[in-house]
Amino acid sequence: MLTWIAGFIVLVVKLVAILFFLLMAAAYLVWVERKFLARLQLRYGPNRAGKFGLLQPLADVVKMLTKEDVVPDGADRVIFRLAPAVVAGTAFLMFAVVPLGRDLTLFGRSVPLVVTDLNVGLLFAFAMSSLGVYGIALGGWASNSKYALLGSIRGAAQMISYELSLGLSIVPIVMLAGSFSMVDIVNAQKGLPFIFVQPLAFVIFVISAMAETKRIPFDLPEAENELNAGYHTEYSGMRFGLFFLGEYVTMMVFGGLVAVLFLGGWRGPWLPPFVWLVIKILLVAVFMIWVRGTLPRVRWDQLMTIGWKALLPLALLNVIVTGALGLIMSP
Amino acid sequence: MGDVWEAVKAVGTGFATTFMHLFRKPITEQYPEYKRMMPVRARARIILTRDPDGGERCVACSLCSAVCPVSCISMEAGEREEDGRRYARWFRINFARCIYCGLCEEACPTSAIQLTPEYEFAKRDILDFVYEKEDLLVDHQGKDPEYNYYRHAGIVTGVGGKGEHIGESEPVNIRSNLP
């Protein structure tokens, strides 16, 4: 019983810590994005609220929370209100399987620094990422607006297409690590991070991840100059904020997945493991922002062409080659 | 294969360009700290100017009020007892309605009403935008330093009598028939 209570307390502490970390990280990722993007475009970015605009995320949160929550006439009220929670919730849940560091030892008991070390952790993350599509599809449909509906149709088609190459690109990683568990995958990269073993898989994964997170150049579901704001056109206040939060948490999560799958997770010399993980996530995020500052949005048919005609065959080829090499080189 | 190489080169150039931007100074003008010098003829806050000799230029002809597309100017004409010069008893501009089009300035025959480059003109209360004559009248000539309407107009005032105005010939002597 005592063990059960101790385990429960540890779990709650981990959940609270990770939720707080994710919320703060998402808020300040917005700051990093605005600042960095501004410098790429020869602007200053937010610099009024606090030193270097550091209080801007807090001001934004206050603004979001105090704005009116409008539900348009003719919207499906229940689904309209539920959809942002689906997006944000699935994004948070994905982070549950990302290992944050080496096992801690507390009172002679080892505590793994991950919310839950599922043996199908990777599948769980992708399942949650697929469920996030529901938030977008339902939110756009329930808005009763043509822009929102077009955005959500695009979002659903895009995310389902890129889910395939995303999933296939990590099959070689699973083959090499011999496990679906994130903890095992990090442990398998003790010697060499998988980016050096599987560079093609890394490229496919990063491109697909950018499409999954609906970021420029794959931001067709939002496409401000075609669809106003796409699937969240009709949302305001904190419900819009939840979509926004979900998007940035997803960005963090995919940064975390790239770090765990290809960059060796929390492994690294000199610095503490958690710091290494944060640095790696930040590197991926900064790269995504740099891409946003550089590339224009692809056209709809180009998006489908890249996904189905380039990334998917390459990912399949990569699986076959890795499997064949593994078969030849195994004793 | 050439196409692929072209595409890679194009994307690479784009990334290089944005990367180089990181090391350049932003071109943003930080507004409240740095205020750009506006051109002399920029159209913002309206003033009523004076003659070089200090008299009011406005003769209350109501042309500005008539031409104003948003009807934000209103006035009442009066005549001075001592020399018969017309002036505005009261003159009111509702800046909450003004669109700063400058038509009043173009219509004004005496260069009295002029637009200035003073654009920092925001207020908390909309009623504070109603400017009376004493708020509008200034002690200078604005963009037209030399002009004095009464030096040109052929009426007798303190500035000049019959035949003393610019470009005006002596009055015809009706008692003589010499050309």
Side-chain angles (χ1 to χ4, degrees):
Chain A
M1 188 64 193
L2 206 64
T3 324
W4 189 85
I5 291 173
F8 187 73
I9 290 172
V10 167
L11 183 65
V12 168
V13 167
K14 278 198 289 198
L15 283 177
V16 169
I18 286 184
L19 189 64
F20 183 75
F21 163 73
L22 269 184
L23 282 173
M24 290 308 283
Y28 275 90
L29 191 60
V30 177
W31 178 83
V32 168
E33 165 140 33
R34 289 179 65 181
K35 232 28 198 174
F36 187 63
L37 192 67
R39 294 312 291 243
L40 290 174
Q41 298 170 344
L42 297 179
R43 299 183 285 117
Y44 283 104
N47 61 356
R48 297 289 147 171
K51 194 109 182 116
F52 305 119
L54 273 169
L55 298 178
Q56 188 69 41
L58 302 177
D60 285 343
V61 167
V62 171
K63 182 189 79 178
M64 294 272 194
L65 285 172
T66 50
K67 275 206 166 182
E68 191 188 353
D69 174 28
V70 182
V71 180
D73 273 352
D76 189 319
R77 304 181 78 85
V78 177
I79 296 178
F80 185 84
R81 291 187 171 155
L82 197 69
V86 173
V87 172
T90 51
F92 280 120
L93 279 174
M94 275 168 86
F95 211 80
V97 290
V98 176
L100 300 173
R102 221 175 257 114
D103 290 3
L104 278 183
T105 314
L106 276 180
F107 308 114
R109 215 181 282 276
S110 108
V111 179
L113 268 186
V114 52
V115 173
T116 165
D117 176 20
L118 286 176
N119 53 3
V120 289
L122 211 46
L123 289 183
F124 172 80
F126 287 114
M128 283 300 134
S129 147
S130 304
L131 276 180
V133 180
Y134 279 101
I136 287 155
L138 292 177
W141 176 77
S143 298
N144 191 29
S145 148
K146 50 181 167 296
Y147 296 119
L149 184 61
L150 283 171
S152 63
I153 290 171
R154 282 180 175 191
Q158 168 180 336
M159 289 174 82
I160 289 167
S161 307
Y162 278 79
E163 199 85 8
L164 286 172
S165 47
L166 195 70
L168 277 175
S169 71
I170 50 138
V171 171
I173 302 295
V174 176
M175 285 169 155
L176 288 173
S179 167
F180 272 116
S181 153
M182 302 274 218
V183 176
D184 290 347
I185 290 174
V186 171
N187 288 336
Q189 300 178 64
K190 207 172 275 177
L192 199 61
F194 281 150
I195 181 174
F196 299 114
V197 189
Q198 288 287 346
L200 182 63
F202 174 73
V203 171
I204 295 171
F205 188 87
V206 168
I207 294 176
S208 308
M210 273 190 281
E212 276 294 289
T213 47
K214 304 180 287 299
R215 290 185 58 78
I216 291 173
F218 303 110
D219 66 334
L220 285 120
E222 295 171 43
E224 12 332 75
N225 30 21
E226 303 163 26
L227 300 177
N228 290 341
Y231 58 92
H232 53 57
T233 304
E234 303 291 341
Y235 282 90
S236 62
M238 201 51 212
R239 278 181 216 282
F240 167 74
L242 278 179
F243 272 124
F244 208 65
L245 185 74
E247 195 171 307
Y248 278 86
V249 171
T250 317
M251 197 171 151
M252 299 278 303
V253 169
F254 273 102
L257 284 181
V258 171
V260 165
L261 296 176
F262 294 98
L263 307 176
W266 43 263
R267 286 183 189 283
W270 308 305
L271 293 169
F274 182 66
V275 176
W276 266 113
L277 186 72
V278 170
I279 289 175
K280 285 169 181 172
I281 290 178
L282 213 59
L283 269 180
V284 176
V286 164
F287 175 71
M288 282 180 164
I289 298 165
W290 187 16
V291 169
R292 178 180 169 184
T294 306
L295 297 182
R297 185 184 307 125
V298 296
R299 224 166 44 217
W300 177 239
D301 58 316
Q302 292 170 333
L303 176 92
M304 283 296 157
T305 309
I306 296 170
W308 289 98
K309 292 190 185 165
L311 295 184
L312 191 64
L314 277 176
L316 276 172
L317 193 71
N318 199 22
V319 172
I320 294 167
V321 170
T322 312
L325 283 179
L327 205 62
I328 293 164
M329 294 208 285
S330 63
Chain B
M1 211 53 210
D3 289 352
V4 173
W5 174 239
E6 282 292 311
V8 168
K9 219 166 67 176
V11 171
T13 318
F15 277 103
T17 308
T18 44
F19 185 72
M20 290 313 286
H21 281 182
L22 287 178
F23 304 101
R24 274 173 57 183
K25 198 174 150 41
I27 53 171
T28 314
E29 287 171 0
Q30 306 256 36
Y31 162 62
E33 292 88 34
Y34 171 80
K35 285 170 187 159
R36 187 196 285 204
M37 273 291 286
M38 298 304 282
V40 189
R41 302 206 290 181
R43 301 195 310 261
R45 210 196 110 166
I46 299 176
I47 51 170
L48 284 177
T49 56
R50 284 177 189 275
D51 278 337
D53 57 13
E56 289 173 25
R57 272 177 174 164
C58 180
V59 294
C61 64
S62 287
L63 278 178
C64 51
S65 172
V67 80
C68 182
V70 290
S71 300
C72 69
I73 307 175
S74 49
M75 74 199 73
E76 184 186 294
E79 218 163 278
R80 270 211 310 238
E81 294 283 324
E82 60 269 27
D83 55 0
R85 266 173 79 145
R86 279 166 60 91
Y87 70 103
R89 284 217 182 81
W90 52 264
F91 194 104
R92 188 174 298 138
I93 297 181
N94 184 355
F95 280 111
R97 230 192 259 174
C98 180
I99 56 171
Y100 307 98
C101 62
L103 287 181
C104 48
E105 185 177 10
E106 284 184 39
C108 186
T110 64
S111 257
I113 193 162
Q114 292 186 8
L115 278 80
T116 63
E118 191 197 326
Y119 59 88
E120 287 183 313
F121 199 38
K123 294 184 193 307
R124 293 265 171 204
D125 186 4
I126 199 159
L127 285 181
D128 292 344
F129 276 114
V130 179
Y131 270 47
E132 296 294 339
K133 189 178 172 185
E134 53 271 28
D135 309 318
L136 296 163
L137 205 57
V138 294
D139 270 336
H140 56 80
Q141 288 77 47
K143 286 172 270 191
D144 214 346
E146 303 295 328
Y147 188 64
N148 188 340
Y149 175 70
Y150 288 102
R151 289 205 183 283
H152 297 267
I155 58 163
V156 180
T157 56
V159 176
K162 283 286 179 195
E164 293 171 4
H165 298 97
I166 296 166
E168 191 186 27
S169 42
E170 282 291 312
V172 178
N173 185 356
I174 53 169
R175 298 192 195 286
S176 156
N177 57 0
L178 288 175

